[in-house]
Amino acid sequence: MPSVRECKIGLLGCGTVGQGVVELINRNRSAIRERSGVDLSLTRILVRDMSKPRSGVESRLLTNEPEQVIRNGCDVIVELVGGLEPARSFIERALNNRKPVVTANKALLALDGLGLLNRAAANRVPFGFEASVCAGIPIVRALQRGLVGNTIQSITGILNGTSNYILTRMDESHLEFDEALREAQAKGFAEADPALDIEGHDAAQKLKILSELAFAGSLPPNGVRVQGIQDIAQSDVEAARKLGSVIRLVAAAEAQNGGISLRVQPLLLPRAHPLASVRNENNAVLVKGDAVGEMLFQGKGAGSLPSASAVLSDIVEIASNRRAVPRTLRRALSTTEIDLEYARYVRFPVPEPSAIGTITTTLAKYGIAVARAAATWARRPGERHEVKLMTLPCKEARLKLALREIVASGTPNGNYLAVPLVA
Ligand code: NAP
Ligand code: HSE
């Protein structure tokens, strides 16, 4: 009979993902042992509030002293606290103690993932972070190993489950933005600070992590151009529907002119587009490599059990000695910007519907043709008069100049929204 390896886990954090890890170990421990030869058990679990009810978690394992977890004879430390500090110090202490670490902390990895990998390399211990991007989808592994024979040309995807859930619920059930966000929070998809999700920063962090893996080097902080979905209203989703499209928050990295172009932005996608059918908290990543061409990875990108599934895959791989110590990586990559040409949906709040004249005249002055434009009257309290229009394809830089002049003229009385339409 093949031998069984014991793997004792010290768990830092027992919230949405941490509880998922406990639940999966309770549920699948013997199946995992049968399939992998690894017997998983928990030593101690760090939490902040010892009195919180946590179903399925043995209360004798709980502690609010980090050292009780980090120095408790475990084989691997799993960091699921989130945020920068104290998560970073916990990870560094574990690595300095030569303990393998598994984390789902994309905020920290986007800030200094290569620093942590280099520290793991210096201490000669494995470091797993599959759950940090797209939860249940094994995209980190795919880029590190499955696609290693390729030169990666681009990565395009839906990387934030909360935003995708909100946009799906607004489209399919006609919910207002705030209501859909509350649902996403109640289901455990959102970050502790949901601004990270809806303003596009979480997707930007994941894009940076994937790009550093795919293009093999470190990218500068703040190298991703980010536009979130926080200004998208039900009327925009309805306008997209009338165009036969859906709105999705899309992250894209592309190697161009010796640099990497990195963007997160909402896009109007025709319903037949492969990313348009990605619903709810699902994520999808389209990777283009010089050997394999395009590959689409799709699955649940947020939530307790899908994220725990990725955490367990790292733990089992480390326990079975199948996870190598990371290589030290110091190559610096530079970013570049592409002036994209798209038709665009633009919405302005205006004091008077007659403002449509100034707006279309200014666009024409910059050579931007308008395919259709309409002014809508505020009908209920809290609503504003609006001008909505579709441009013909135009360069982004030129549109920006025109929009800047329209804003400077004082015509709109609030922020405009501009969303590219993918043909
Ligand atoms: P969460 O529900 O807020 O859980 C955080 C846990 O850490 C809680 O158990 C909390 O204790 C504990 N904690 C927080 N600060 C602490 C401190 N200073 N000292 C001790 N314990 C502390 O977060 P989550 O959603 O599970 O996310 C955890 C990590 O996974 C984050 O990095 C997140 O970005 C990432 N992630 C989340 C998802 C998802 O779908 N939620 C998916 C993939 C990756 P209490 O329970 O006592 O408050
Ligand atoms: N808040 C994140 C999301 C969790 O919604 O995608 C998964 O990383």
Side-chain angles (χ1 to χ4, degrees):
M1 184 169 158
S3 65
V4 170
R5 253 174 232 264
E6 265 193 72
C7 177
K8 296 194 214 101
I9 302 162
L11 187 57
L12 299 165
C14 194
T16 302
V17 185
Q19 284 220 44
V21 168
V22 177
E23 184 181 336
L24 268 196
I25 292 174
N26 290 344
R27 191 202 288 183
N28 291 343
R29 180 175 177 174
S30 59
I32 294 168
R33 192 175 46 222
E34 287 302 313
R35 284 164 58 197
S36 66
V38 174
D39 186 29
L40 301 176
S41 62
L42 290 154
T43 50
R44 298 304 296 268
I45 304 175
L46 177 75
V47 292
R48 216 170 8 192
D49 178 357
M50 299 277 287
S51 65
K52 244 188 216 177
R54 299 170 206 271
S55 84
V57 180
E58 284 182 64
S59 55
R60 69 177 178 87
L61 297 182
L62 297 177
T63 173
N64 49 21
E65 288 175 37
E67 289 309 312
Q68 293 267 325
V69 180
I70 296 171
R71 295 180 182 274
N72 198 26
C74 57
D75 301 301
V76 56
I77 295 288
V78 177
E79 184 278 309
L80 299 173
V81 164
L84 301 183
E85 281 299 341
R88 185 191 192 122
S89 313
F90 293 160
I91 292 178
E92 287 178 349
R93 258 143 67 196
L95 292 175
N96 292 343
N97 280 338
R98 306 214 156 187
K99 289 284 176 215
V101 169
V102 171
T103 179
N105 194 329
K106 59 265 167 146
L108 191 52
L109 289 164
L111 183 76
D112 187 24
L114 291 188
L116 292 172
L117 275 173
N118 286 341
R119 189 176 287 251
N123 287 295
R124 307 210 51 73
V125 281
F127 182 72
F129 52 97
E130 183 63 71
S132 66
V133 186
C134 298
I137 308 174
I139 186 68
V140 168
R141 227 172 234 90
L143 288 173
Q144 281 179 324
R145 295 209 272 291
L147 298 176
V148 74
N150 288 255
T151 295
I152 303 295
Q153 292 154 336
S154 65
I155 298 173
T156 312
I158 292 174
L159 306 184
N160 183 261
T162 301
S163 300
N164 208 56
Y165 183 85
I166 293 171
L167 294 169
T168 307
R169 296 288 286 148
M170 288 175 80
D171 180 39
E172 296 180 5
S173 306
H174 302 246
L175 294 193
E176 292 299 333
F177 187 99
D178 290 346
E179 203 179 346
L181 170 59
R182 279 195 295 277
E183 278 192 7
Q185 288 178 290
K187 287 173 180 280
F189 305 148
E191 294 303 300
D193 174 5
L196 289 170
D197 296 292
I198 62 174
E199 292 176 7
H201 304 299
D202 177 84
Q205 290 165 354
K206 293 166 177 166
L207 184 66
K208 182 168 183 266
I209 296 169
L210 292 185
S211 301
E212 289 186 330
L213 290 174
F215 303 112
S218 68
L219 284 159
N222 308 320
V224 186
R225 283 189 57 185
V226 183
Q227 178 186 347
I229 62 160
Q230 67 274 25
D231 296 326
I232 305 249
Q234 179 51 241
S235 70
D236 303 315
V237 173
E238 210 176 292
R241 202 177 304 125
K242 285 186 185 147
L243 291 163
S245 300
V246 293
I247 303 179
R248 292 288 181 261
L249 183 68
V250 177
E254 197 177 337
Q256 279 274 346
N257 314 325
I260 314 291
S261 144
L262 299 160
R263 267 181 199 253
V264 171
Q265 64 184 345
L267 294 178
L268 282 158
L269 301 176
R271 287 189 187 264
H273 190 282
L275 296 182
S277 55
V278 179
R279 298 173 59 245
N280 296 324
E281 76 274 26
N282 283 294
N283 284 186
V285 191
L286 198 60
V287 182
K288 197 167 164 195
D290 66 341
V292 288
E294 285 193 342
M295 294 197 78
L296 182 67
F297 299 80
Q298 188 170 342
K300 288 202 189 305
S304 184
L305 292 180
S307 310
S309 155
V311 170
L312 287 199
S313 75
D314 275 341
I315 299 173
V316 169
E317 213 174 84
I318 288 170
S320 354
N321 285 337
R322 279 186 285 117
R323 173 60 65 90
V325 169
R327 282 184 52 243
T328 309
L329 203 54
R330 301 212 184 276
R331 187 164 80 115
L333 301 167
S334 58
T335 54
T336 185
E337 292 205 2
I338 310 175
D339 191 6
L340 295 171
E341 180 156 333
Y342 280 118
R344 287 181 174 80
Y345 163 82
V346 191
R347 166 172 60 78
F348 301 90
V350 288
E352 288 297 331
S354 60
I356 192 169
T358 319
I359 291 170
T360 49
T361 308
T362 312
L363 288 170
K365 183 177 142 192
Y366 282 86
I368 295 164
V370 173
R372 70 190 86 152
T376 52
W377 293 79
R379 301 209 181 279
R380 286 180 293 226
E383 280 186 1
R384 292 197 282 187
H385 305 309
E386 286 178 341
V387 169
K388 289 185 186 144
L389 55 87
M390 278 304 307
T391 72
L392 290 183
C394 61
K395 291 279 191 186
E396 184 178 30
R398 185 176 281 265
L399 180 71
K400 270 197 167 162
L401 289 176
L403 292 174
R404 193 175 300 160
E405 185 167 323
I406 292 168
V407 169
S409 73
T411 309
N413 58 354
N415 293 337
Y416 65 79
L417 173 78
V419 182
L421 170 71
V422 174

